[in-house]
Amino acid sequence: MDFKLGLDQSLKIALSLEMKLSIDILKMSLKELKEFLKEKEEKYPGIEIVYPKQIKSKSTEVENYLENISDSEESLIDFLEEQISYLTLSKEIKNILEYLINNLDERGYLDGSLEELRKDGGYKSVVFKESLSILRKLDPIGVGAFDLIDCLKIQLLNRGIKERKIEEILEKNLEDIANTNLNKICLEREIDMSTLKRYIEVIKTLNPKPARGYYVNKKTKYIIPDINLDIIADEIIITLNEEEIPKIKVRTDDKQSYNLALTLERSIQKRQKTLLKVSNYILNYQKDFILRNAPLKTLKIKDIAYELDLHESTISRAIKDKFLKSGSRIESLKKYIVLDEKNQYIKNQILEIIDLENKKNPLSDEKILKELCNRGVMIQRRTIAKYRDELGIPSSRHRKK
């Protein structure tokens, strides 16, 4: 092989690998970047990931604890979606299943009644019930229930236990079991004590919280903000959270470790440079909203790309899962991207309603929906949850103080 040709090919391969790595790192959140670098350190002993020294406060310890919890638990949503990906389903049923999965609470129960969920999603009754039946056959058994008794019944059915007396005990006597009022149960259900004890042993094997061991809401994972936003003398100052950005050191003098460390460093620097450029433009464009609470202006990804002479895909990757810290608030950078003025008006209405709510008894999405209807805004309940996520606002149970 011609030496020059071989060198050119090797250089092209190296450049393409570096480009791919740079693209991947750009779209990572800070938390994902840390996890990615940790994997590289474990895989390549020749490199070492070094984080800047930080003074640990109580709040930092709590944050790290929360982060560790998230790392140790698998996402229930991901686990269920992976299972349905292996099934041969129509597009409509798959969409309904994804809709139902994203309406599960931290126990694995469905948040709302069957009819409420069906109407909110705008689905037909027959196919909706069929989809629910499929969900209830997925692991962990018991997900998709509407309450505790429903959850336990699903598990009995899955095991092929169809004894009506056990179902009656679940429906009428769970509290009696807890209070050990066994004679009362025997009289009411017309069974002997040995049969009752056998039933209780079966009930004890059921799981009242099928989602235990999983996290349900991805947004509950600890968020590390990439961007700091400060206001000084009516000006906004944008800086990056460099304290969380690690340095890559080489432990050995082998060429592979050196090249990998150099590639990682360059990719991270490019990520930081692009993110600062993009966030500076977005936040300064929405300066009136930040300083004077004026309405957010329409701002599309293609417009940012044109102004910054970057590709639209670069902008999309740069803003993906990126958060900014302003005072005590942490917000998604996507909040400042406004594709539709009507959608932004609705988001502003939701923000206003939540700002005025009783913080000890925050409003559910259903109650926010009713308040929006009173204001003449007609949308579906699932849209409220979507807009809340985009605004970085947690659900009512996580807003409660």
Side-chain angles (χ1 to χ4, degrees), residues 39-215:
E39 287 172 10
K40 288 293 182 188
E41 186 178 32
E42 289 170 356
K43 189 174 179 181
Y44 299 95
I47 66 168
E48 180 184 3
I49 309 301
V50 182
Y51 291 91
K53 288 182 181 178
Q54 297 177 15
I55 300 168
K56 281 197 174 182
S57 62
K58 270 192 174 182
S59 62
T60 306
E61 288 168 8
V62 171
E63 288 163 358
N64 288 340
Y65 173 69
L66 288 172
E67 187 171 357
N68 289 334
I69 288 175
S70 297
D71 287 341
S72 65
E73 296 178 333
E74 184 179 5
S75 163
L76 179 64
I77 292 172
D78 289 346
F79 183 48
L80 292 169
E81 287 183 343
E82 182 184 1
Q83 290 177 67
I84 66 172
S85 72
Y86 299 133
L87 302 176
T88 305
L89 303 167
S90 68
K91 188 176 179 182
E92 184 179 16
I93 287 179
K94 192 167 278 191
N95 287 339
I96 295 171
L97 279 167
E98 288 174 354
Y99 167 71
L100 288 170
I101 288 167
N102 281 278
N103 272 285
L104 295 172
D105 66 16
E106 67 276 1
R107 300 165 299 175
Y109 296 176
L110 282 166
D111 191 8
S113 72
L114 177 66
E115 193 58 18
E116 281 176 343
L117 286 166
R118 187 191 69 77
K119 284 182 178 177
D120 285 348
Y123 298 111
K124 294 175 184 175
S125 183
V126 174
V127 72
F128 194 74
K129 287 179 181 177
E130 183 185 347
S131 303
L132 177 61
S133 176
I134 294 168
L135 173 63
R136 290 180 169 198
K137 290 182 176 72
L138 301 179
D139 286 328
I141 301 298
V143 294
F146 290 102
D147 54 40
L148 173 61
I149 294 168
D150 192 25
C151 175
L152 301 181
K153 281 184 178 180
I154 291 168
Q155 293 172 61
L156 287 176
L157 185 64
N158 182 263
R159 294 184 192 182
I161 300 171
K162 298 179 180 178
E163 295 185 52
R164 180 59 197 159
K165 291 289 183 183
I166 297 185
E167 290 189 9
E168 287 177 1
I169 291 169
L170 292 177
E171 290 167 358
K172 310 285 186 182
N173 301 108
L174 275 182
E175 194 173 327
D176 292 324
I177 291 175
N179 295 326
T180 62
N181 293 330
L182 303 190
N183 288 327
K184 178 176 179 283
I185 301 171
C186 286
L187 287 169
E188 289 183 0
R189 303 280 77 84
E190 298 178 343
I191 54 175
D192 58 56
M193 186 61 74
S194 63
T195 302
L196 174 60
K197 286 183 177 178
R198 180 166 60 85
Y199 287 164
I200 290 173
E201 286 306 308
V202 172
I203 291 168
K204 280 181 179 178
T205 65
L206 305 177
N207 184 2
K209 293 182 181 178
R212 186 184 285 130
Y214 300 87
Y215 66 86

Side-chain angles (χ1 to χ4, degrees), residues 217-221 223 296 321-324 328-336 344 347 350-351 354-355 383-396 398-399:
N217 185 347
K218 295 175 185 177
K219 299 294 181 183
T220 61
K221 290 204 296 181
I223 292 167
L296 282 165
D321 293 330
K322 305 302 189 300
F323 291 82
L324 64 94
S328 60
R329 290 181 296 114
I330 293 179
E331 299 173 326
S332 169
L333 185 59
K334 279 188 178 179
K335 169 183 172 178
Y336 296 87
Q344 189 53 46
K347 286 182 182 180
I350 292 170
L351 278 170
I354 290 173
D355 283 343
T383 308
I384 294 171
K386 177 189 170 188
Y387 286 172
R388 270 199 303 95
D389 281 349
E390 289 175 2
L391 292 166
I393 299 171
S395 65
S396 57
H398 292 111
R399 296 201 305 274

